Each structure stands twice: as C-alpha cells, then as structure tokens.
C-alpha cells in the first residue's frame, strides 16, 4: 500500500463492512464551509460532519493547536495525567454547572460513562433496586449496547440479542407519561435538550424544569445528552443554559473537538465521588492531542462574537429557508435552535429527505437528514454569510429541479 494508491467510492463496497451507505463522491479537502471532492467539484457544507466541524474545515487556530501538541506529546495513558486535559477540564468546569470531568473519545462512550455512573451512584446511595433509567422515545444516545438500549429507536437495538434491563421509555415532552413512570426505583432520567437524530425536536417550554423537579422528588439524577446540542450549537455554550435548568450529568462530544475525536462527561462533586479509582476507564480518553484541540475549540466558541454570530446566522438561514418554502412548498416549517435546524417536509414530500439531500448534492450543497421526513442543517458556527446565501441559492435550484 502506498500513498499514491488510487481509491474510489466503488472500493468502499469491496473493503468496508457494509454498515454505512456513503454518498457517491469522496471529499479530499476542506476549507471553512467548503469541501472539494476527488474530481475537484466544490460543495458548501451545511452538514458540518453531523454537527462536528463547529469551526468549519482547516481552521487555522485548530491546526495550530493540533500541530503544536503533535510536536510535543501524543499519548501517555491514564497512568499519568497531562497538561491539556487538566486545562480543558478546568475551563469546562469554569464555564458550566460541573465540578468534575471524565474524558472519552465519542458521544456513545461519554453516555456509557454517564449511565454507568448513574447506576453506580444509585447502587451506593440506595441499593441495587434503584437501577431504572428512563429515556425518551425517539431519542438517540449512541451505538454501544448500553446506549442503544437506552436510546428510544428500536431499529438500533433490535436484533442484537437481549437488551440491557432496567430501562424504560416515555414520549418526549410528555410530562404526565414521565411522572407515571417515575418511582423510588428510578436512578436517572436522560434527555436531549433538542432531539437531534430523532428529527430536530426541541424540548417544550417548561419541560426541562419539570423533569428536574420530578428527578428531585424521586431522588433520581438528571442527565442531559448534549452530544449534538452542545459546544455553542444553539447559541449558548450548552443548550441547558437557555432554560437555566442544571443537570447532574452532562455529556458533550461532536463539536467539542471540532473534528478531532473527543468527548466529555461533566458532573458534580456529589455524583463524581461514586466513580472511585478503578471503577471506570479508557485508554485514549483525555489524551493530550484531543484535549489540546478541544481546549482551542472551547476558547474560540465560548466568546460573545461566536455565540452571538450563531444567533445571527440562525436568523439568516431560517428567513432564507422560509422564503424558499413559499416558492417550493417542499417543507412546511423550520424548527430547532441556533445552527441545529430541521426543515420539516410537507405532507406531499414526506419520506423523501434522501432524494432532496441527493438533489442538493448535485447542486453542490451538503445537507443532512434527521429521519426520512426532515432535512437537517448543522453547519459551522462561523460559516460566512456569503456561504449561507450561496447555499440557499443552491437549495432553490435543487428544489426547482425536483419539483420540475
Ligand atoms: C451523535 C450522538 C451520540 C453518539 O455520539 P458518537 O460520537 O457517534 O458515539 C449520542 N447522543 C447524541 C444526542 C448524538 O447526537
């Protein structure tokens, strides 16, 4: 194998496990909110690596943080600590409700740690019967066996043998259903402040506050999965900050590393103390390279310029999308917060998100689906306004062609 070996999309089907169905082009280079494929075709990227590339592609600050750290120290394992991890943890604590941090490498791993910690906490404070985790129908928490069991989409958990026990699901934004399910056995309730994979569905007004009160009443932990909604995505550092409702545990990944794999579980002193020495761990979690990059992402994102810019870009995108919807009634409304947006397909176009995504790609525009009925946008938090305008024009062209 040499670097000059020619590869193409057809090789995917030959050499890769067939669990993905990637689009037909292969990007080879990115800059800001633009990508270029093997043929040199250019695309505007409103997919953002599925809400990961928070500062676009090849951001000079992130290249600097990565290469500076790459020349110093990559990995020491958790038998030693390291400076970037300690700096990043300190900054995350300063910026949030949390007192303690555990680092992992992906959203699923951060959630795995959160669910294990909640179980451990309950086991130690109340005994083995307090083990029920309540999650929401349609939620997504990752692809490990524990996280698909907690996740509320059976298509991801069925067919892998017995799921984990002690997990139940209630409809999102349905307080009565949650209240009916809660008991002294409840160890934790896990909620996405905005359901991302489930269709870009925000928590209803007052919902998070009421869930907090139910958790307090039954002495259960409240876990916010902010893997997708966190790190500036909604115009605040974390989405919970809009509501003022504080969780006991919060998970962060995706945008946290701006494209470098890193995740964090944030929690309080009270809860953290139940993960004693040896109870949990990760070889790579908190490695210096990932932490150095995430520290720079946090330094850049957690500023008024970037966070207010998210709100401004939100308005531009929503106004543009609604103007397009008046000409081409393919979608009926736009929901979501900040730069996590879902254009909900109208009745006649239900189920055709993939076709719309493909038509957009042909016009040089990358968008995401969130299920078959929603076009999801999760661009760079600093996407240039000119790229937003150009993206809207390309979307118009794609829809014009589809509508015919
Ligand atoms: C993407 C996502 C995850 C899983 O993250 P991975 O890095 O893919 O493991 C978990 N929760 C939410 C809300 C997500 O959007």
């Amino acid at each position: 194998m040499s670097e000059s070996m020619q590869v193409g999309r057809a090789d995917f089907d030959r050499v890769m496990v067939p669990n993905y169905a990637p689009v037909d082009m292969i990007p080879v280079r990115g800059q800001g909110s633009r990508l270029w494929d093997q043929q040199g075709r250019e695309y505007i990227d409103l997919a953002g690596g599925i809400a990961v590339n928070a500062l676009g592609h090849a951001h000079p600050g992130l290249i600097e943080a990565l290469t500076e750290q790459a020349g110093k120290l990559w990995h020491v394992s958790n038998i030693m600590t390291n400076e970037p991890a300690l700096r990043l943890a300190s900054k995350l604590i300063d910026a949030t409700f949390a007192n303690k941090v555990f680092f992992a490498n992906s959203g699923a791993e951060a959630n795995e740690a959160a669910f294990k910690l909640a179980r451990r906490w309950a086991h130690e404070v109340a005994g083995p019967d307090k083990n029920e985790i309540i999650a929401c129908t349609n939620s997504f928490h990752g692809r490990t066996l524990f996280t698909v069991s907690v996740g509320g989409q059976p298509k991801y958990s069925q067919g892998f043998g017995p799921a984990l026990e002690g997990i139940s699901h209630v409809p999102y934004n349905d307080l009565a259903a949650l209240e009916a399910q809660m008991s002294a056995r409840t160890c934790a309730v896990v909620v996405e402040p905005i359901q991302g994979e489930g269709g870009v569905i925000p928590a209803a007004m007052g919902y998070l506050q009421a869930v907090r009160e139910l958790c307090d009443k039954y002495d259960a932990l409240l876990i916010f999965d902010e893997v997708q909604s966190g790190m500036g995505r909604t115009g605040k550092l974390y989405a919970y900050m809009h509501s003022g409702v504080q969780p006991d545990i919060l998970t962060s990944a995706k945008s946290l590393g701006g494209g470098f794999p890193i995740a964090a579980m944030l929690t309080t002193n009270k809860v953290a103390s139940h993960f004693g020495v040896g109870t949990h761990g990760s070889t790579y979690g908190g490695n210096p390279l990932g932490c150095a990059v995430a520290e720079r992402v946090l330094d850049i994102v957690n500023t008024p310029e970037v966070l207010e810019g998210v709100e401004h870009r939100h308005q531009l995108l929503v106004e543009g999308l609604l103007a397009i919807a008046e000409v081409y009634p393919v979608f009926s409304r736009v929901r979501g917060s900040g730069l996590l947006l879902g254009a909900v397909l109208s009745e006649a176009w239900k189920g055709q998100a993939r076709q719309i995504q493909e038509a957009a790609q042909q016009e040089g525009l990358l968008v995401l689906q969130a299920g078959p009925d929603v076009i999801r946008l999760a661009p760079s938090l600093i996407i240039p306004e000119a790229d937003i305008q150009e993206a809207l024009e390309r979307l118009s062209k794609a829809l014009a062609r589809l509508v015919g």
Side-chain angles (χ1 to χ4, degrees):
M1 294 251 181
S2 74
E3 199 156 320
S4 60
M5 178 184 172
Q6 295 288 309
V7 288
R9 171 62 182 82
D11 293 306
F12 181 91
D13 301 327
R14 192 171 57 78
V15 300
M16 303 294 260
V17 167
N19 62 314
Y20 301 117
V23 303
D24 56 8
M25 63 86 175
I26 298 183
V28 293
R29 188 166 68 81
Q31 183 68 58
S33 283
R34 309 249 172 170
L35 278 177
W36 287 266
D37 71 12
Q38 288 180 310
Q39 278 68 46
R41 269 203 75 192
E42 172 257 1
Y43 302 84
I44 296 181
D45 183 9
L46 298 187
I50 316 192
V52 166
N53 301 310
L55 297 173
H57 301 278
H59 188 283
L62 300 195
I63 293 173
E64 183 188 71
L66 179 72
T67 50
E68 206 181 291
Q69 188 59 41
K72 285 188 192 161
L73 186 68
W74 290 24
H75 177 82
V76 290
S77 90
N78 287 300
I79 63 168
M80 287 168 246
T81 188
N82 67 78
E83 291 179 349
L86 296 173
R87 281 199 302 265
L88 175 60
S90 302
K91 289 181 179 180
L92 286 169
I93 288 166
D94 285 348
T96 66
F97 75 97
N99 317 114
K100 291 284 192 292
V101 179
F102 171 81
F103 288 120
N105 311 289
S106 66
E109 278 178 75
N111 283 330
E112 183 85 16
F115 303 153
K116 281 182 70 181
L117 175 57
R119 285 265 178 95
R120 190 79 177 190
W121 166 83
H123 191 94
E124 292 185 352
V125 300
D129 289 342
K130 192 175 179 69
N131 62 42
E132 187 188 31
I133 296 175
I134 304 178
C136 294
T137 312
N138 208 34
S139 63
F140 184 78
H141 299 298
R143 299 295 203 116
T144 65
L145 191 58
F146 201 166
T147 55
V148 290
S149 301
V150 173
Q153 302 190 46
K155 66 179 179 194
Y156 294 138
S157 59
Q158 283 170 356
F160 296 100
L164 265 77
E165 288 174 27
I167 297 162
S168 55
H169 295 96
V170 295
Y172 189 59
N173 281 332
D174 184 340
L175 272 175
L178 177 62
E179 187 158 19
Q181 188 63 36
M182 294 210 49
S183 71
R185 284 195 53 230
T186 309
C187 115
V189 177
V190 53
V191 179
E192 292 166 85
I194 300 174
Q195 284 193 335
E197 300 302 309
V200 192
I201 304 172
M205 194 69 115
Y207 178 66
L208 299 178
Q209 179 66 43
V211 175
R212 174 75 270 176
E213 284 161 16
L214 283 174
C215 286
D216 292 342
K217 180 171 166 197
Y218 289 95
D219 199 20
L221 299 182
L222 176 57
I223 304 173
F224 283 160
D225 179 344
E226 292 231 31
V227 168
Q228 188 154 165
S229 61
M231 215 19 74
R233 181 65 41 197
T234 67
K236 295 220 187 261
L237 186 62
Y238 286 99
Y240 83 84
M241 293 170 174
H242 294 278
S243 68
V245 179
Q246 296 194 353
D248 301 291
I249 301 176
L250 179 148
T251 53
S252 185
K254 292 205 165 94
S255 291
L256 177 60
F260 196 96
I262 180 170
M265 178 192 73
L266 313 184
T267 189
T268 61
N269 282 325
K270 180 189 105 177
V271 179
S273 63
H274 295 274
F275 254 179
V277 174
T279 47
H280 193 59
S282 161
T283 295
Y284 287 124
N287 71 82
L289 270 184
C291 290
V293 176
E295 183 191 359
R296 189 65 65 93
V297 174
L298 178 60
D299 285 345
I300 297 171
V301 167
N302 198 21
T303 54
E305 302 91 275
V306 170
L307 295 176
E308 282 159 22
V310 168
E311 197 40 55
H312 178 62
R313 287 165 175 79
H314 167 93
Q315 274 156 22
L316 285 180
L317 259 174
V318 171
E319 277 164 24
L321 288 168
L322 292 177
I324 290 173
E326 289 195 2
V327 184
Y328 307 106
V330 168
F331 49 89
S332 46
R333 63 209 165 89
V334 179
R335 65 189 176 205
S337 173
L339 290 173
L340 180 56
L341 296 173
V344 184
L345 300 187
S346 50
E347 218 37 62
W349 289 84
K350 273 218 157 60
Q352 300 199 51
R354 176 101 191 183
Q355 286 87 323
I356 294 166
Q357 184 188 6
E358 281 166 5
Q361 191 193 314
Q362 280 163 24
E363 293 297 334
L365 174 65
L366 303 174
V367 299
L368 297 165
Q369 298 175 240
D373 304 331
V374 177
I375 294 292
R376 175 174 35 155
L377 309 179
S380 159
L381 305 183
I382 56 169
I383 180 172
E385 286 179 25
D387 286 7
I388 292 179
Q389 295 309 341
E390 178 70 29
L392 290 165
E393 280 163 33
R394 292 182 188 186
L395 181 63
S396 283
K397 280 190 202 151
L399 295 183
R401 220 155 25 77
L402 267 185
V403 170

